[in-house]
Amino acid sequence: MPVVIKPLLAQRREEALLFIQPYEAECVNLAQEILRGGDNCWCVFYTELSQAQDARDQEASQTLTLGGLFALRKKRSLFFCLPFAKYKSALDKKLCNEAQRPLAEFFESHEPFCVNGEAAGALYLKNILRHKKTPMQPSVVNKYFLLTRGAHFGLANNSVATNLKGLQDLNAGGGLRVVPATIADYDSLLPLELGYQREEVVPQSFDISDAALSAAFKRELEQGFTFALFDGQRPIAKARLAAIGKRCAMLGGVYTIPSERKKGRAAFLVSQMIQRSQAGGICGFSLYAKQQNAAALALYKSLGFEPLGEYLLVYY
């Protein structure tokens, strides 16, 4: 079963979106890259040979079947959908074995800074990067729980609907308002973004300056999809739609200032974002939260999120 790595061509984008549809909640970033054009996306194809009478017929009978997809955003962040890495069938086992060499050869000239995704695929890629000709050893591995909320278990749950109503009542009045953030909010929201990055994302061993984080945040605000909760003129919480796929969105950047924590502020903000996104046609949501952050896990459970598995960020 030969395996080849090929760029995602425009005529196969719809096929790619259909392929990842059952897994979109765990690879929303990849779905977004495909929807943007797929210029930095690659396909993992395997070749099936039918019975043929001679070598010419055999060559003509070869078909390329899509077995996996991945994207390398800005030559740094690697997102993927590799269902065979979950090892659920004999075909998965064959693909895992056959794909190792072509993937290792690909990553000789396309080295990622971060492998970002569900645990089985991330560990599979981590092993390939470790054993290629120029081995790559991870400097930090951050472990999270991947949580999802879809139309089949969201607001249909009475307890969740009650929780949302309670949040609305709790946060009603008092000058609280949820607004789409713009570049005009940069100065007021920057301290929240830096707090989020330092507490939740950037490994302590990494030397990343506030200036670099600030520049990245400015670009995010210019792209849209960031929301803020204000108390009067004071921002007290922020969050964003970190990626938007065809049917699902990934939430990220959720942060509440310390003085306003344990008051339901982040839950209220996220619930408002979900309701507005559903009105825009998004029917599923996912996010990842640190496994040791019990407060965040309880918050998302109250909003109808359920655990799907583990999610890893592997930094090099």
Side-chain angles (χ1 to χ4, degrees):
M1 181 188 292
V3 172
V4 294
I5 310 299
K6 290 182 175 291
L8 175 62
L9 301 178
Q11 59 265 35
R12 301 197 78 148
R13 283 205 298 265
E14 286 303 317
E15 178 187 355
L17 290 170
L18 185 63
F19 176 85
I20 69 171
Q21 182 176 313
Y23 318 101
E24 188 178 355
E26 63 189 39
C27 60
V28 182
N29 282 289
L30 174 60
Q32 178 172 269
E33 295 301 315
I34 297 172
L35 289 168
R36 286 176 172 174
D39 294 338
N40 57 357
C41 298
W42 285 266
C43 303
V44 180
F45 288 115
Y46 63 95
T47 303
E48 296 178 318
L49 299 176
S50 62
Q51 295 295 323
Q53 306 235 335
D54 56 39
R56 182 180 299 176
D57 288 343
Q58 188 179 65
E59 182 177 352
S61 69
Q62 292 183 5
T63 59
L64 291 178
T65 302
L66 188 58
L69 287 152
F70 62 92
L72 195 57
R73 180 186 293 169
K74 297 182 179 179
K75 301 180 180 180
R76 292 176 60 82
S77 297
L78 180 63
F79 306 109
F80 56 86
C81 179
L82 303 174
F84 59 81
K86 296 180 181 180
Y87 226 60
K88 292 184 176 181
S89 69
L91 176 60
D92 289 344
K93 182 177 180 180
K94 289 182 180 180
L95 279 173
C96 278
N97 292 333
E98 295 293 335
Q100 289 185 42
R101 178 176 293 181
L103 283 171
E105 291 174 352
F106 176 89
F107 289 123
E108 286 296 337
S109 56
H110 301 80
E111 293 188 343
F113 168 71
C114 179
V115 176
N116 183 318
E118 61 85 23
L123 292 173
Y124 176 73
L125 292 169
K126 174 175 171 283
N127 184 62
I128 288 174
L129 293 171
R130 187 176 63 181
H131 290 100
K132 67 189 186 76
K133 290 181 181 179
T134 53
M136 296 175 63
Q137 298 294 340
S139 57
V140 176
V141 178
N142 285 348
K143 297 181 179 181
Y144 305 85
F145 285 129
L146 178 64
L147 306 172
T148 64
R149 168 187 156 144
H152 62 290
F153 60 84
L155 291 176
N157 185 316
N158 289 334
S159 63
V160 173
T162 301
N163 286 337
L164 292 179
K165 180 62 168 62
L167 287 170
Q168 293 168 354
D169 293 341
L170 177 65
N171 289 276
L176 294 181
R177 54 194 175 92
V178 174
V179 300
T182 69
I183 195 65
D185 300 304
Y186 171 77
D187 290 332
S188 62
L189 292 180
L190 181 59
L192 282 72
E193 173 65 14
L194 294 178
Y196 164 73
Q197 291 290 341
R198 296 304 183 191
E199 290 184 30
E200 299 292 335
V201 180
V202 179
Q204 293 183 355
S205 59
F206 278 33
D207 184 18
I208 299 180
S209 67
D210 283 357
L213 295 174
S214 301
F217 182 54
K218 182 174 290 187
R219 290 193 295 270
E220 288 183 0
L221 287 175
E222 290 172 342
Q223 294 169 1
F225 309 117
T226 297
F227 291 79
L229 176 63
F230 281 83
D231 181 1
Q233 298 302 311
R234 181 176 67 120
I236 59 177
K238 60 167 281 292
R240 72 186 303 261
L241 297 177
I244 301 175
K246 192 166 185 177
R247 299 169 63 247
C248 297
M250 174 167 275
L251 304 177
V254 182
Y255 184 82
T256 305
I257 63 175
S259 63
E260 294 293 327
R261 292 175 184 173
K262 298 183 179 180
K263 298 180 181 180
R265 305 311 196 202
F268 177 64
L269 172 59
V270 171
S271 70
Q272 291 292 304
M273 289 176 61
I274 288 174
Q275 291 180 16
R276 297 183 189 196
S277 300
Q278 286 175 325
I282 298 295
C283 60
F285 301 87
S286 65
L287 55 85
Y288 53 88
K290 284 186 175 179
Q291 296 184 6
Q292 65 271 28
N293 193 338
L297 295 173
L299 180 157
Y300 297 127
K301 182 179 180 180
S302 73
L303 294 175
F305 285 86
E306 295 183 349
L308 183 64
E310 286 193 320
Y311 194 94
L312 302 183
L313 298 183
V314 185
Y315 292 97
Y316 291 90

